[in-house]
Amino acid sequence: MTDAEQPSVPLSALLANPALGLRQIAGPAGDHRVSTVGTTEIENPTPYLVGGELLLTAGVRLPHDAEGIDTYVRQVVAAGVSALGFGVAPVHQEVPPELVAACDRHELPLLRLPPATPFVAVGQAAYAAIAETRNRELREISRAQSALATAAARPDALQAVLDRLSAHTGAWTVLYDAQGNELFSAGPRPSSPTPGRVRDLAVRTTARLRTGAAGRSAPAAAADHHGDTHLTVHTLPGADGSMALALGQAATTAPTLVHRQVTSTATVLLALLTSPRHALGTDTHSAGALVRLMLGATPTEVAPALASAGTTKAGHWIVVHGRHTPPRSTSAPHPGDDPAQLATLGTALGTPYLHVDGRELKALVPSASGARPEAPAQAADLGWVLGFSSPAPTADLPYADRQAERALRRAIAAQVPAVVHTKDPLTIHGIVPRADARDLARTRFAPLDQTGAPGAPVLLDTLRTWLTLHGSWDRTAAALHVHRNTVRHRLARVGELLDVDLQDPGVRMELWFALHWLPDETDETDETDEADEADEADEADE
């Protein structure tokens, strides 16, 4: 924090406090700023000063001769003391005239403290005034930031943000491209040559940008002044060096802490509004893809327009399924009703393509073909359990959707934040012929079709969950939201119908493989070679 930004209070605020009874008796009448109050009675206090103090003394060790007093005043002025306060009585009945003369000579404000005013009271009053000034600044900053955020949501966001920034800072505000062309401006335009000087400063500042390995440039700033006109330039964070934008300002007063904070907020907003993610071209591509899809185009034809930069050529997607499971002790609203949570989740997953229905989530994440999906920690913090598919081309999205659904079921059953589908050909699934595996699974579980309530699907789901949880009755009951005796009864029925001992590890392994080979309704209605091939990749994970 610079000296200009150090919280302080004008000396006049203390002089105007009737409870203190302070009176300036020497030094200039200018409004010096006081950032702290200190008390000292040593002959040379300069090693213990930081600048900006109202230094209080009763003159216990004040030199007795004019030369010594002059040296004392010269030293504290060199240390940056803002003002000197002298308390009369009990050491001195009145302020020594030699001290008054020295303060006039070295232009140091000298305050007289009456006997009834404790030094501590002066400090308390100063710190209370500083706190009030700081709170007033923070309130002003907060109001300005709120106004800027509202402006950023308007259709004419760039012009609206510049208008609000100019209104809060009192400066002429202008947005330049890298060549110094004015894109937008706000506020009264200053007379020549000020606009040209701001432009030149902006061009020089953007020319100094150094593009890093990630293709981004660190923001830069510059300041200058000509007479009473103060010029400042800020480049937009993350701007590409070849397309850098710069925010220029020209004001007749020096920027304050509030002005700098408000300008910083506006700079970030302008950077977001001009980034590729928010650019008009990107929005047009996404909207165009939706129009084409609604008018009959296939997902494969429109998907490249939705893929983000860098993944368009790969043309692959990761499907994400999620279920919102907040703690039972909270009564949180549905996540789809919380824009902040949706924005956070979309940022964490790295995609704007989210669909939330109640507590269920589906998402599409652009990806390269060989990418390994990673579950973001923010999702678990928000109460989401996720299942990820492996990257799939657009034509195979239905199969990736099933992968994500199964991965989510596994995550819920295992009570883990996320499960990522993996494709590993070095398993038994890769060596057993697909048709033979399906026939074996159908035959193995055929006896369950002859049972009554609760029915084969419920028994199979109970068996699958129980095997996933390594034979834990309690965890299976919790995952299925039933009593543990219900789980025992269902599994006893399974063992009876299949004529097997479920406590035998070999039997468990056999049933585990058969469950994954067991076709569902989608498998039975889609017998094409392409579906078989995709299903093999799907079930290799499980």
Side-chain angles (χ1 to χ4, degrees):
M1 181 178 294
T2 65
D3 292 340
E5 296 174 342
Q6 189 75 20
S8 61
V9 64
L11 191 58
S12 60
L14 300 179
L15 292 170
N17 189 334
L20 299 178
L22 304 180
R23 182 164 55 91
Q24 184 172 348
I25 59 176
D31 216 0
H32 290 229
R33 307 289 299 188
V34 174
S35 59
T36 187
V37 177
T39 302
T40 181
E41 298 297 344
I42 61 177
E43 296 178 1
N44 182 15
T46 54
Y48 310 100
L49 302 175
V50 296
E53 297 94 340
L54 168 57
L55 188 63
L56 305 180
T57 179
V60 175
R61 294 195 177 185
L62 187 70
H64 298 288
D65 59 297
E67 184 178 353
I69 291 177
D70 186 86
T71 300
Y72 176 90
V73 173
R74 187 174 64 252
Q75 288 174 338
V76 297
V77 168
V81 167
S82 293
L84 184 64
F86 194 93
V88 298
V91 180
H92 295 268
Q93 297 305 312
E94 194 52 64
V95 181
E98 296 84 356
L99 182 60
V100 175
C103 288
D104 276 331
R105 187 163 46 250
H106 294 288
E107 298 185 341
L108 176 67
L110 175 62
L111 310 185
R112 180 186 183 275
L113 278 67
T117 301
F119 286 7
V120 173
V122 178
Q124 290 175 337
Y127 296 136
I130 290 173
E132 176 56 29
T133 299
R134 185 59 173 165
N135 289 336
R136 187 165 55 250
E137 290 175 342
L138 292 175
R139 288 193 296 269
E140 185 177 349
I141 291 172
S142 178
R143 287 193 297 268
Q145 290 176 336
S146 178
L148 287 170
T150 301
R154 291 177 45 172
D156 57 336
L158 291 175
Q159 184 63 59
V161 169
L162 290 181
D163 288 339
R164 297 316 307 161
L165 177 60
S166 177
H168 282 284
T169 61
W172 177 62
T173 306
V174 56
L175 188 65
Y176 295 104
D177 63 14
Q179 288 72 42
N181 299 314
E182 290 186 20
L183 304 178
F184 300 92
S185 65
R189 187 180 184 88
S191 59
S192 181
T194 298
R197 287 171 173 165
V198 179
R199 176 190 178 279
D200 293 342
L201 183 61
V203 172
R204 293 197 305 269
T205 304
T206 54
R208 293 200 308 267
L209 291 177
R210 296 182 178 179
T211 304
R216 293 182 175 272
S217 300
D224 197 0
H225 66 88
H226 293 275
D228 295 331
T229 303
H230 297 263
L231 314 178
T232 57
V233 165
H234 299 266
T235 61
L236 302 190
D240 186 296
S242 62
M243 300 179 62
L245 300 178
L247 174 67
Q249 292 174 295
T252 55
T253 58
T256 65
L257 170 63
V258 173
H259 293 164
R260 284 190 286 270
Q261 292 288 341
V262 173
T263 299
S264 177
T265 300
T267 302
V268 174
L269 287 174
L270 291 170
L272 292 174
L273 292 170
T274 56
S275 66
R277 183 176 294 274
H278 294 271
L280 179 62
T282 301
D283 292 341
T284 300
H285 291 160
S286 298
L290 178 60
V291 170
R292 292 167 58 199
L293 187 65
M294 295 181 70
L295 295 180
T298 66
T300 303
E301 293 172 323
V302 303
L306 301 178
S308 60
T311 61
T312 303
K313 294 182 179 180
H316 282 63
W317 300 82
I318 294 170
V319 179
V320 183
H321 280 214
R323 183 172 299 171
H324 195 245
T325 56
R328 294 183 180 180
S329 59
T330 64
S331 56
H334 285 180
D337 299 330
D338 186 354
Q341 181 173 144
L342 283 179
T344 303
L345 184 61
T347 301
L349 292 174
T351 180
Y353 306 119
L354 302 174
H355 172 66
V356 178
D357 182 9
R359 300 198 181 277
E360 305 296 322
L361 162 75
K362 289 186 178 182
L364 283 174
V365 182
S367 171
S369 60
R372 166 74 178 177
E374 293 184 0
Q378 296 96 324
D381 295 338
L382 293 172
W384 287 98
V385 179
L386 302 176
F388 292 78
S389 76
S390 58
T394 309
D396 291 338
L397 280 179
Y399 310 114
D401 185 57
R402 293 178 52 214
Q403 291 178 357
E405 182 180 4
R406 292 188 178 186
L408 174 61
R409 288 206 305 261
R410 290 176 54 196
I412 294 173
Q415 297 181 334
V416 296
V419 166
V420 177
H421 175 90
T422 57
K423 180 180 180 181
D424 183 4
L426 300 178
T427 66
I428 193 171
H429 302 287
I431 62 176
V432 177
R434 176 66 175 169
D436 293 345
R438 285 187 169 189
D439 289 340
L440 172 62
R442 287 192 182 97
T443 302
R444 194 71 188 87
F445 294 112
L448 299 184
D449 294 331
Q450 310 304 319
T451 187
V458 173
L459 295 180
L460 287 171
D461 190 46
T462 303
L463 177 62
R464 179 183 287 108
T465 304
W466 183 69
L467 292 175
T468 298
L469 297 176
H470 309 290
S472 171
W473 306 103
D474 292 333
R475 292 175 63 192
T476 302
L480 297 175
H481 303 289
V482 297
H483 195 276
R484 67 194 307 270
N485 288 340
T486 302
V487 174
R488 288 182 177 273
H489 176 75
R490 290 178 182 176
L491 292 175
R493 185 62 176 155
V494 169
E496 177 184 347
L497 291 171
L498 299 183
D499 192 22
V500 295
D501 179 10
L502 293 180
Q503 301 306 315
D504 186 335
V507 171
R508 293 190 188 187
M509 180 178 66
E510 175 196 354
L511 295 179
W512 177 253
F513 286 130
L515 280 171
H516 292 301
W517 289 327
L518 188 66
D520 55 23
E521 294 180 0
T522 304
D523 293 323
E524 293 177 332
T525 58
D526 186 357
E527 298 295 337
T528 64
D529 292 340
E530 183 179 6
D532 287 344
E533 187 176 311
D535 285 339
E536 288 174 7
D538 183 6
E539 294 174 281
D541 161 54
E542 313 274 355

Tab-separated table of all heavy atoms in Angstrom, residues 277 282-287 289-290 302-309 311-312 316-320 342 345-347 349-356 361-367:
chain	number	residue	atom	x	y	z
A	277	ARG	N	-14.821	-15.881	-24.846
A	277	ARG	CA	-15.986	-16.611	-24.362
A	277	ARG	C	-17.249	-15.750	-24.446
A	277	ARG	O	-18.363	-16.243	-24.600
A	277	ARG	CB	-15.762	-17.073	-22.918
A	277	ARG	CG	-16.902	-17.900	-22.346
A	277	ARG	CD	-16.553	-18.383	-20.959
A	277	ARG	NE	-15.461	-19.316	-20.988
A	277	ARG	CZ	-15.596	-20.630	-21.195
A	277	ARG	NH1	-16.797	-21.132	-21.396
A	277	ARG	NH2	-14.555	-21.429	-21.204
A	282	THR	N	-18.552	-15.904	-30.805
A	282	THR	CA	-18.766	-17.155	-30.095
A	282	THR	C	-20.248	-17.374	-29.829
A	282	THR	O	-20.786	-18.464	-30.009
A	282	THR	CB	-17.982	-17.143	-28.771
A	282	THR	OG1	-16.599	-16.957	-29.057
A	282	THR	CG2	-18.170	-18.454	-28.026
A	283	ASP	N	-20.961	-16.315	-29.386
A	283	ASP	CA	-22.382	-16.442	-29.126
A	283	ASP	C	-23.140	-16.782	-30.402
A	283	ASP	O	-24.091	-17.555	-30.391
A	283	ASP	CB	-22.918	-15.143	-28.523
A	283	ASP	CG	-22.375	-14.896	-27.131
A	283	ASP	OD1	-21.904	-15.860	-26.510
A	283	ASP	OD2	-22.405	-13.745	-26.695
A	284	THR	N	-22.731	-16.190	-31.512
A	284	THR	CA	-23.392	-16.446	-32.782
A	284	THR	C	-23.238	-17.907	-33.196
A	284	THR	O	-24.183	-18.540	-33.667
A	284	THR	CB	-22.814	-15.526	-33.872
A	284	THR	OG1	-23.023	-14.179	-33.488
A	284	THR	CG2	-23.481	-15.785	-35.206
A	285	HIS	N	-22.046	-18.467	-32.994
A	285	HIS	CA	-21.840	-19.874	-33.348
A	285	HIS	C	-22.752	-20.783	-32.533
A	285	HIS	O	-23.361	-21.706	-33.060
A	285	HIS	CB	-20.374	-20.253	-33.109
A	285	HIS	CG	-19.437	-19.594	-34.084
A	285	HIS	ND1	-18.090	-19.452	-33.841
A	285	HIS	CD2	-19.664	-19.025	-35.292
A	285	HIS	CE1	-17.529	-18.827	-34.863
A	285	HIS	NE2	-18.460	-18.559	-35.751
A	286	SER	N	-22.832	-20.545	-31.219
A	286	SER	CA	-23.659	-21.397	-30.372
A	286	SER	C	-25.132	-21.254	-30.743
A	286	SER	O	-25.855	-22.255	-30.846
A	286	SER	CB	-23.446	-21.027	-28.900
A	286	SER	OG	-22.105	-21.238	-28.528
A	287	ALA	N	-25.591	-20.027	-30.912
A	287	ALA	CA	-26.988	-19.818	-31.267
A	287	ALA	C	-27.293	-20.411	-32.638
A	287	ALA	O	-28.352	-21.014	-32.859
A	287	ALA	CB	-27.314	-18.326	-31.252
A	289	ALA	N	-25.837	-22.964	-34.009
A	289	ALA	CA	-25.897	-24.417	-33.889
A	289	ALA	C	-27.263	-24.865	-33.390
A	289	ALA	O	-27.830	-25.857	-33.871
A	289	ALA	CB	-24.796	-24.899	-32.946
A	290	LEU	N	-27.820	-24.146	-32.418
A	290	LEU	CA	-29.145	-24.497	-31.908
A	290	LEU	C	-30.210	-24.346	-32.991
A	290	LEU	O	-31.084	-25.199	-33.138
A	290	LEU	CB	-29.485	-23.607	-30.711
A	290	LEU	CG	-30.871	-23.812	-30.093
A	290	LEU	CD1	-31.032	-25.234	-29.590
A	290	LEU	CD2	-31.105	-22.819	-28.971
A	302	VAL	N	-23.735	-30.143	-36.090
A	302	VAL	CA	-23.685	-28.871	-35.367
A	302	VAL	C	-22.696	-28.877	-34.211
A	302	VAL	O	-22.340	-27.819	-33.690
A	302	VAL	CB	-25.083	-28.494	-34.817
A	302	VAL	CG1	-26.089	-28.421	-35.936
A	302	VAL	CG2	-25.535	-29.484	-33.749
A	303	ALA	N	-22.224	-30.066	-33.801
A	303	ALA	CA	-21.343	-30.127	-32.636
A	303	ALA	C	-20.069	-29.303	-32.783
A	303	ALA	O	-19.635	-28.675	-31.812
A	303	ALA	CB	-20.992	-31.585	-32.324
A	304	PRO	N	-19.405	-29.269	-33.955
A	304	PRO	CA	-18.179	-28.460	-34.050
A	304	PRO	C	-18.381	-26.993	-33.715
A	304	PRO	O	-17.465	-26.337	-33.224
A	304	PRO	CB	-17.758	-28.644	-35.516
A	304	PRO	CG	-18.329	-29.957	-35.912
A	304	PRO	CD	-19.634	-30.046	-35.197
A	305	ALA	N	-19.566	-26.453	-33.923
A	305	ALA	CA	-19.816	-25.048	-33.600
A	305	ALA	C	-19.912	-24.821	-32.101
A	305	ALA	O	-19.762	-23.706	-31.631
A	305	ALA	CB	-21.108	-24.576	-34.268
A	306	LEU	N	-20.164	-25.895	-31.336
A	306	LEU	CA	-20.276	-25.765	-29.886
A	306	LEU	C	-18.963	-26.023	-29.172
A	306	LEU	O	-18.776	-25.596	-28.041
A	306	LEU	CB	-21.323	-26.749	-29.342
A	306	LEU	CG	-22.746	-26.600	-29.895
A	306	LEU	CD1	-23.638	-27.675	-29.303
A	306	LEU	CD2	-23.296	-25.225	-29.589
A	307	ALA	N	-18.055	-26.755	-29.822
A	307	ALA	CA	-16.799	-27.107	-29.163
A	307	ALA	C	-15.961	-25.865	-28.946
A	307	ALA	O	-15.923	-24.962	-29.760
A	307	ALA	CB	-16.031	-28.128	-30.006
A	308	SER	N	-15.263	-25.831	-27.824
A	308	SER	CA	-14.434	-24.667	-27.511
A	308	SER	C	-13.170	-24.685	-28.343
A	308	SER	O	-12.779	-25.697	-28.915
A	308	SER	CB	-14.069	-24.670	-26.025
A	308	SER	OG	-13.354	-25.851	-25.708
A	309	ALA	N	-12.510	-23.530	-28.389
A	309	ALA	CA	-11.268	-23.408	-29.157
A	309	ALA	C	-10.242	-24.391	-28.643
A	309	ALA	O	-10.046	-24.544	-27.447
A	309	ALA	CB	-10.735	-21.986	-29.043
A	311	THR	N	-10.418	-27.669	-29.094
A	311	THR	CA	-10.975	-29.016	-29.113
A	311	THR	C	-11.863	-29.237	-30.329
A	311	THR	O	-12.388	-30.306	-30.513
A	311	THR	CB	-11.795	-29.278	-27.838
A	311	THR	OG1	-12.886	-28.336	-27.796
A	311	THR	CG2	-10.951	-29.098	-26.600
A	312	THR	N	-12.035	-28.223	-31.147
A	312	THR	CA	-12.929	-28.356	-32.292
A	312	THR	C	-12.464	-29.459	-33.238
A	312	THR	O	-13.254	-30.262	-33.706
A	312	THR	CB	-13.009	-27.018	-33.056
A	312	THR	OG1	-13.436	-26.005	-32.140
A	312	THR	CG2	-13.973	-27.110	-34.198
A	316	HIS	N	-14.560	-34.445	-29.798
A	316	HIS	CA	-14.999	-35.409	-28.799
A	316	HIS	C	-15.654	-34.685	-27.629
A	316	HIS	O	-15.399	-33.507	-27.389
A	316	HIS	CB	-13.829	-36.265	-28.307
A	316	HIS	CG	-13.431	-37.346	-29.263
A	316	HIS	ND1	-12.942	-37.082	-30.532
A	316	HIS	CD2	-13.445	-38.701	-29.143
A	316	HIS	CE1	-12.671	-38.219	-31.152
A	316	HIS	NE2	-12.974	-39.221	-30.336
A	317	TRP	N	-16.481	-35.444	-26.901
A	317	TRP	CA	-17.218	-34.891	-25.781
A	317	TRP	C	-17.181	-35.867	-24.611
A	317	TRP	O	-17.142	-37.081	-24.808
A	317	TRP	CB	-18.679	-34.630	-26.157
A	317	TRP	CG	-18.860	-33.668	-27.284
A	317	TRP	CD1	-18.783	-33.939	-28.623
A	317	TRP	CD2	-19.150	-32.282	-27.167
A	317	TRP	NE1	-18.998	-32.808	-29.357
A	317	TRP	CE2	-19.238	-31.764	-28.488
A	317	TRP	CE3	-19.354	-31.417	-26.097
A	317	TRP	CZ2	-19.514	-30.426	-28.754
A	317	TRP	CZ3	-19.635	-30.090	-26.352
A	317	TRP	CH2	-19.710	-29.600	-27.661
A	318	ILE	N	-17.205	-35.317	-23.415
A	318	ILE	CA	-17.383	-36.115	-22.198
A	318	ILE	C	-18.780	-35.836	-21.677
A	318	ILE	O	-19.164	-34.677	-21.502
A	318	ILE	CB	-16.339	-35.750	-21.132
A	318	ILE	CG1	-14.932	-36.142	-21.611
A	318	ILE	CG2	-16.648	-36.431	-19.797
A	318	ILE	CD1	-13.827	-35.609	-20.725
A	319	VAL	N	-19.552	-36.889	-21.441
A	319	VAL	CA	-20.889	-36.747	-20.872
A	319	VAL	C	-20.781	-36.868	-19.355
A	319	VAL	O	-20.081	-37.745	-18.840
A	319	VAL	CB	-21.855	-37.802	-21.435
A	319	VAL	CG1	-23.246	-37.649	-20.818
A	319	VAL	CG2	-21.932	-37.683	-22.949
A	320	VAL	N	-21.444	-35.986	-18.651
A	320	VAL	CA	-21.436	-35.995	-17.191
A	320	VAL	C	-22.870	-36.152	-16.693
A	320	VAL	O	-23.768	-35.433	-17.140
A	320	VAL	CB	-20.826	-34.696	-16.611
A	320	VAL	CG1	-20.762	-34.777	-15.079
A	320	VAL	CG2	-19.449	-34.435	-17.194
A	342	LEU	N	-24.947	-22.734	-10.357
A	342	LEU	CA	-24.820	-23.188	-11.739
A	342	LEU	C	-23.578	-22.597	-12.393
A	342	LEU	O	-22.847	-23.297	-13.101
A	342	LEU	CB	-26.063	-22.796	-12.540
A	342	LEU	CG	-27.310	-23.648	-12.329
A	342	LEU	CD1	-28.454	-23.117	-13.175
A	342	LEU	CD2	-27.044	-25.103	-12.652
A	345	LEU	N	-20.553	-24.375	-10.933
A	345	LEU	CA	-20.437	-25.747	-11.439
A	345	LEU	C	-19.989	-25.747	-12.898
A	345	LEU	O	-19.134	-26.542	-13.301
A	345	LEU	CB	-21.774	-26.470	-11.290
A	345	LEU	CG	-21.790	-27.948	-11.690
A	345	LEU	CD1	-20.824	-28.743	-10.826
A	345	LEU	CD2	-23.193	-28.517	-11.574
A	346	GLY	N	-20.560	-24.854	-13.704
A	346	GLY	CA	-20.152	-24.779	-15.103
A	346	GLY	C	-18.698	-24.413	-15.255
A	346	GLY	O	-17.978	-24.968	-16.093
A	347	THR	N	-18.224	-23.492	-14.407
A	347	THR	CA	-16.812	-23.117	-14.446
A	347	THR	C	-15.936	-24.277	-14.016
A	347	THR	O	-14.882	-24.526	-14.601
A	347	THR	CB	-16.570	-21.902	-13.525
A	347	THR	OG1	-17.385	-20.816	-13.961
A	347	THR	CG2	-15.107	-21.481	-13.554
A	349	LEU	N	-16.570	-27.506	-14.214
A	349	LEU	CA	-16.559	-28.554	-15.243
A	349	LEU	C	-15.940	-28.073	-16.547
A	349	LEU	O	-15.561	-28.885	-17.391
A	349	LEU	CB	-17.984	-29.040	-15.507
A	349	LEU	CG	-18.669	-29.819	-14.379
A	349	LEU	CD1	-20.121	-30.096	-14.720
A	349	LEU	CD2	-17.931	-31.129	-14.097
A	350	GLY	N	-15.847	-26.765	-16.720
A	350	GLY	CA	-15.259	-26.226	-17.938
A	350	GLY	C	-16.192	-26.268	-19.126
A	350	GLY	O	-15.764	-26.480	-20.261
A	351	THR	N	-17.494	-26.040	-18.880
A	351	THR	CA	-18.447	-26.070	-19.986
A	351	THR	C	-19.659	-25.218	-19.650
A	351	THR	O	-20.081	-25.156	-18.489
A	351	THR	CB	-18.912	-27.510	-20.280
A	351	THR	OG1	-19.847	-27.486	-21.371
A	351	THR	CG2	-19.579	-28.138	-19.074
A	352	PRO	N	-20.242	-24.557	-20.642
A	352	PRO	CA	-21.515	-23.860	-20.413
A	352	PRO	C	-22.723	-24.745	-20.706
A	352	PRO	O	-23.855	-24.315	-20.509
A	352	PRO	CB	-21.447	-22.700	-21.416
A	352	PRO	CG	-20.662	-23.256	-22.562
A	352	PRO	CD	-19.658	-24.222	-21.955
A	353	TYR	N	-22.483	-25.981	-21.159
A	353	TYR	CA	-23.576	-26.840	-21.613
A	353	TYR	C	-24.045	-27.719	-20.456
A	353	TYR	O	-23.634	-28.867	-20.302
A	353	TYR	CB	-23.127	-27.672	-22.814
A	353	TYR	CG	-22.566	-26.827	-23.930
A	353	TYR	CD1	-21.262	-26.982	-24.359
A	353	TYR	CD2	-23.344	-25.833	-24.517
A	353	TYR	CE1	-20.744	-26.180	-25.358
A	353	TYR	CE2	-22.833	-25.030	-25.519
A	353	TYR	CZ	-21.540	-25.203	-25.931
A	353	TYR	OH	-21.024	-24.409	-26.924
A	354	LEU	N	-24.913	-27.140	-19.628
A	354	LEU	CA	-25.451	-27.817	-18.453
A	354	LEU	C	-26.969	-27.900	-18.552
A	354	LEU	O	-27.612	-26.971	-19.052
A	354	LEU	CB	-25.092	-27.053	-17.165
A	354	LEU	CG	-23.616	-26.802	-16.845
A	354	LEU	CD1	-23.503	-25.913	-15.619
A	354	LEU	CD2	-22.886	-28.109	-16.600
A	355	HIS	N	-27.525	-28.984	-18.047
A	355	HIS	CA	-28.975	-29.103	-17.916
A	355	HIS	C	-29.260	-29.669	-16.536
A	355	HIS	O	-28.815	-30.778	-16.204
A	355	HIS	CB	-29.570	-30.009	-18.992
A	355	HIS	CG	-31.027	-30.311	-18.763
A	355	HIS	ND1	-32.010	-29.349	-18.827
A	355	HIS	CD2	-31.655	-31.474	-18.422
A	355	HIS	CE1	-33.178	-29.894	-18.572
A	355	HIS	NE2	-33.000	-31.182	-18.313
A	356	VAL	N	-29.979	-28.912	-15.721
A	356	VAL	CA	-30.332	-29.350	-14.372
A	356	VAL	C	-31.838	-29.492	-14.299
A	356	VAL	O	-32.585	-28.558	-14.601
A	356	VAL	CB	-29.829	-28.351	-13.307
A	356	VAL	CG1	-30.254	-28.809	-11.922
A	356	VAL	CG2	-28.318	-28.219	-13.376
A	361	LEU	N	-28.449	-33.787	-12.967
A	361	LEU	CA	-27.613	-32.978	-13.858
A	361	LEU	C	-27.168	-33.804	-15.050
A	361	LEU	O	-26.834	-34.984	-14.914
A	361	LEU	CB	-26.372	-32.475	-13.100
A	361	LEU	CG	-25.188	-31.994	-13.950
A	361	LEU	CD1	-25.499	-30.631	-14.555
A	361	LEU	CD2	-23.906	-31.937	-13.137
A	362	LYS	N	-27.161	-33.160	-16.211
A	362	LYS	CA	-26.499	-33.701	-17.389
A	362	LYS	C	-25.674	-32.581	-18.001
A	362	LYS	O	-26.109	-31.429	-18.037
A	362	LYS	CB	-27.489	-34.254	-18.409
A	362	LYS	CG	-28.176	-35.551	-17.975
A	362	LYS	CD	-29.027	-36.135	-19.091
A	362	LYS	CE	-29.660	-37.454	-18.650
A	362	LYS	NZ	-30.463	-38.067	-19.737
A	363	ALA	N	-24.475	-32.918	-18.457
A	363	ALA	CA	-23.595	-31.902	-19.033
A	363	ALA	C	-22.791	-32.502	-20.166
A	363	ALA	O	-22.528	-33.709	-20.195
A	363	ALA	CB	-22.654	-31.335	-17.971
A	364	LEU	N	-22.390	-31.639	-21.102
A	364	LEU	CA	-21.497	-31.992	-22.194
A	364	LEU	C	-20.243	-31.145	-22.069
A	364	LEU	O	-20.317	-29.917	-22.014
A	364	LEU	CB	-22.155	-31.728	-23.552
A	364	LEU	CG	-23.208	-32.733	-24.033
A	364	LEU	CD1	-23.839	-32.222	-25.320
A	364	LEU	CD2	-22.591	-34.102	-24.251
A	365	VAL	N	-19.087	-31.798	-22.014
A	365	VAL	CA	-17.813	-31.103	-21.865
A	365	VAL	C	-16.969	-31.352	-23.108
A	365	VAL	O	-16.631	-32.511	-23.399
A	365	VAL	CB	-17.056	-31.589	-20.617
A	365	VAL	CG1	-15.750	-30.818	-20.463
A	365	VAL	CG2	-17.919	-31.451	-19.376
A	366	PRO	N	-16.626	-30.321	-23.875
A	366	PRO	CA	-15.745	-30.521	-25.038
A	366	PRO	C	-14.421	-31.119	-24.593
A	366	PRO	O	-13.876	-30.761	-23.544
A	366	PRO	CB	-15.557	-29.104	-25.593
A	366	PRO	CG	-16.714	-28.330	-25.075
A	366	PRO	CD	-17.029	-28.906	-23.736
A	367	SER	N	-13.889	-32.043	-25.384
A	367	SER	CA	-12.695	-32.769	-24.957
A	367	SER	C	-11.895	-33.253	-26.156
A	367	SER	O	-12.431	-33.421	-27.255
A	367	SER	CB	-13.101	-33.961	-24.078
A	367	SER	OG	-12.000	-34.800	-23.816
